[in-house]
């Protein structure tokens, strides 16, 4: 039996595949961000130096997952920022508010291939009586 929330890397031929789960949609998104970041970094000793906020427009669940993960990749590439702490909350209007405690990409050790994009192939994100789960492939 797995814990109520968590994430893991799943073996994949050439890219990185992550799975995440939590009791609710926001928690599952939080775990997906953590899984993505942990797939290529060692965060030991890193501390956030700033806070950032992202509000994706209301969308279907799978599109929200892609938007949040794409935003992490975009911020890494354009602002050299990496989220160490992620907090996702429902905004009450069919949307989300994502808050990150970030550090510079140079402040962490890279241990794997850095994601370049989120693949739509075999993307899954949804809830059922057991909670929310997602599976996503990251192009590296």
């Amino acid at each position: 039996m797995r814990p109520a929330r968590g994430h893991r890397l799943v073996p994949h031929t050439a890219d990185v595949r992550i799975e995440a789960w939590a009791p609710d949609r926001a928690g599952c998104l939080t775990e997906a961000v953590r899984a993505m970041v942990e797939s290529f970094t060692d965060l030991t000793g890193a501390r956030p130096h700033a806070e950032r906020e992202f509000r994706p427009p209301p969308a279907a669940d799978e599109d929200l997952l892609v938007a949040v993960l794409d935003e992490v990749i975009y911020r890494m590439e354009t602002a050299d920022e990496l989220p160490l702490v992620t907090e996702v909350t429902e905004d009450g209007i069919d949307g989300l508010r994502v808050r990150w405690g970030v550090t510079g990409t140079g402040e962490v050790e890279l241990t794997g291939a850095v994601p370049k994009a989120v693949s739509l192939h075999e993307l899954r994100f949804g809830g059922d009586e057991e909670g929310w789960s997602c599976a996503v492939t990251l192009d590296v």
Side-chain angles (χ1 to χ4, degrees), residues 15-18 36 62-74 115-121 123-124 135-140:
D15 295 314
V16 173
R17 181 123 173 117
I18 59 173
M36 182 172 80
E62 289 181 343
D63 294 334
L64 285 172
L65 173 63
V66 171
V68 169
L69 296 179
D70 275 344
E71 184 69 11
V72 172
I73 293 169
Y74 173 77
K116 300 295 180 201
V118 178
S119 173
L120 301 180
H121 182 68
L123 177 70
R124 181 180 49 79
V136 61
T137 301
L138 306 170
D139 296 333
V140 295

Side-chain angles (χ1 to χ4, degrees), residues 17-18 22 41 61 75 91:
R17 181 123 173 117
I18 59 173
T41 62
D61 294 325
R75 289 175 187 252
D91 73 1

Side-chain angles (χ1 to χ4, degrees), residues 14-77:
D15 295 314
V16 173
R17 181 123 173 117
I18 59 173
E19 292 180 351
W21 60 91
D24 57 22
R25 181 172 82 156
C28 190
L29 285 163
T30 298
E31 291 295 328
V33 171
R34 287 181 184 153
M36 182 172 80
V37 172
E38 290 176 5
S39 76
F40 66 95
T41 62
D42 178 359
L43 302 176
T44 305
R47 301 280 180 254
H49 66 76
E51 286 190 12
R52 302 290 183 250
E53 186 171 293
F54 174 59
R55 290 182 177 264
D61 294 325
E62 289 181 343
D63 294 334
L64 285 172
L65 173 63
V66 171
V68 169
L69 296 179
D70 275 344
E71 184 69 11
V72 172
I73 293 169
Y74 173 77
R75 289 175 187 252
M76 284 188 312
E77 292 176 350

